Every structure is written in C-alpha cells, then in structure tokens.
Amino acid sequence: MRIDATNRSGNVAGRSSTGKAGNGPAFVPAGEQGPQRVNATAPSTSTTGIDAILALQANGDFSESRRKAVRKGTRLLDLLEDMKADLLIGRVAPERLDTMVTQLRTLRERVEPELDRVLDDIELRVLVELAKLGRYPQI
C-alpha cells in the first residue's frame, strides 16, 4: 500500500466562547461575594453496620457449609455406586470400605434440615452396607 500524502491538522480551531453555561467570570475567590462557609458538621453515622458484618464473618459462611455437605453426600453416593459395581463382579475392594469408613468419620455441620435429613439417610445406607460386610465402624 502506498501513501501519497499525509493529513496534517495544522489549522485546528480553538474552543469558541459561544455555548458556555454562564457569561460571568469562571472563578470567584472566597470573600464577601463568594459562598459562605458551613460551620456545622454532619453527624457521624453509627457503626452498627460494621458490627453486623463482623458478626456475620465470625459465624462463618453458610453457603460454604452447604457446599461441603453436598460434596460429602455426593462422595458417599459415588462410593455406594462403586461398591455396587464391585458386588456385581463378586469382590468388594477393602480400600473402598476403608474410604467409606473414613468419609463417615468426618464431621459435618448441620446446615439445613432438609439437607441434613438426606445426608443422614445416605450415611445410614453406607452404615448398613458396611454392616452387611462385617465392617460396621464405631462412630
């Protein structure tokens, strides 16, 4: 590609004075004609908002507890599915049973009543399957 001429903007027009908001001077020093100072200060706001935020942080994040509980339930269900596949083959891997016992021993927080009931049912099912194989853990 060939460039024959450059476009130079040598004749740039400055800002025109038409269309300004006011016709008076742009700056007025504070004094007799300037705005009066405000002597009163605004009342300070209370810190109850900060106290509430700190209290929530101290209690922890419920959504994180819920995610952990769902993750634990999903792991236990996956272990039950793997155990079902092992039973179809005819031999249950002892490592899988140990993993199930370990998962049952990990403590979980009580988050929501409905979620807790589902997790209790899953844990009971895992305990029943372990008891069938003679591996009932002491929790």
Side-chain angles (χ1 to χ4, degrees), residues 7 10 16-17 33 42 51 58 67 81 102-103 109 113 133 136-137:
N7 292 334
S16 66
S17 61
Q33 298 173 352
D51 293 338
R67 271 187 243 126
E81 283 293 318
T102 304
Q103 285 295 317
E109 297 178 30
L133 297 170
Y136 191 79

Side-chain angles (χ1 to χ4, degrees), residues 52-119:
I53 291 171
L54 292 175
L56 284 174
Q57 287 179 346
N59 286 336
D61 188 12
F62 292 110
S63 63
E64 182 64 28
S65 299
R66 186 176 194 282
R67 271 187 243 126
K68 285 180 182 178
V70 169
R71 208 176 310 133
K72 180 178 181 175
T74 303
R75 271 190 239 121
L76 287 172
L77 286 174
D78 290 342
L79 287 169
L80 283 172
E81 283 293 318
D82 294 341
M83 185 176 169
K84 183 171 77 171
D86 286 350
L87 287 172
L88 290 174
I89 295 171
R91 181 177 176 278
V92 178
E95 301 85 26
R96 188 172 329 282
L97 297 177
D98 292 337
T99 305
M100 291 172 103
V101 170
T102 304
Q103 285 295 317
L104 285 176
R105 286 190 178 150
T106 58
L107 295 176
R108 67 176 164 96
E109 297 178 30
R110 299 289 175 170
V111 182
E112 298 174 6
E114 297 87 13
L115 181 61
D116 292 335
R117 273 188 246 123
V118 170
L119 284 174

Side-chain angles (χ1 to χ4, degrees), residues 80 83 100 104 120-137:
L80 283 172
M83 185 176 169
M100 291 172 103
L104 285 176
D120 289 340
D121 290 344
I122 293 171
E123 288 177 350
L124 178 64
R125 187 69 223 167
V126 170
L127 288 171
V128 167
E129 293 301 323
L130 288 171
K132 285 181 185 178
L133 297 170
R135 297 281 307 260
Y136 191 79

Side-chain angles (χ1 to χ4, degrees), residues 33-53:
Q33 298 173 352
Q36 294 186 7
R37 294 188 153 226
V38 178
N39 291 331
T41 59
S44 62
T45 60
S46 66
T47 59
T48 55
I50 294 173
D51 293 338
I53 291 171

